[in-house]
Amino acid sequence: MKLLLRIFITALLVTGISYLMKGVIVDEFTTALTVAIVLGLLNFFVKPILVLFTLPITFFTLGLFLLVINTIIIMLCDYFIDGFKISTFWTAMLFSIILSLSQSLVFQLTGETKK
């Protein structure tokens, strides 16, 4: 049940952020739900592999390269989902930062913890 709530909250955040940012387009709420599910799957399966392969770069940049990895995950989501469009790399980076911060804030306020 917590997983479904997290997906729903993420979909709401994706929809809200798309209204605030010019370069982010989400066609409808079901697309945002799909984005939330695909982001979760990409973060679970692809992100650890990217982090492992880019560990030296991440080490030398003191972890800042993780922002680039998050941006790549967002752009992969853009590639796989038809109704979700991100205009540029920098828009995807800003979107990933805002989404991460807003997820952290909402999950902290609701008492949800990552397990």
Side-chain angles (χ1 to χ4, degrees), residues 23-70:
V24 180
I25 299 170
V26 177
D27 287 345
E28 53 192 26
F29 186 70
T30 55
T31 304
L33 281 172
T34 308
V35 168
I37 293 169
V38 170
L39 275 177
L41 291 172
L42 287 172
N43 281 329
F44 187 74
F45 291 111
V46 177
K47 188 174 180 179
I49 296 168
L50 288 176
V51 169
L52 183 66
F53 284 139
T54 61
L55 199 56
I57 297 170
T58 305
F59 179 75
F60 287 122
T61 61
L62 302 174
L64 288 177
F65 194 74
L66 292 173
L67 293 173
V68 175
I69 292 174
N70 285 340

Side-chain angles (χ1 to χ4, degrees), residues 64-89:
L64 288 177
F65 194 74
L66 292 173
L67 293 173
V68 175
I69 292 174
N70 285 340
T71 304
I72 291 169
I73 295 293
I74 295 291
M75 295 186 82
L76 279 172
C77 195
D78 172 29
Y79 178 76
F80 288 126
I81 299 174
D82 288 331
F84 179 62
K85 299 290 179 232
I86 303 274
S87 60
T88 65
F89 176 83

Side-chain angles (χ1 to χ4, degrees), residues 9-10 12-22 24 39 67 70-71 74 90-106:
I9 289 172
T10 302
L12 286 175
L13 291 173
V14 166
T15 304
I17 295 169
S18 72
Y19 284 124
L20 297 175
M21 292 182 68
K22 279 186 176 181
V24 180
L39 275 177
L67 293 173
N70 285 340
T71 304
I74 295 291
W90 298 110
T91 305
M93 182 172 281
L94 184 60
F95 178 82
S96 81
I97 291 169
I98 293 172
L99 182 63
S100 296
L101 290 175
S102 59
Q103 279 179 325
S104 296
L105 181 67
V106 168

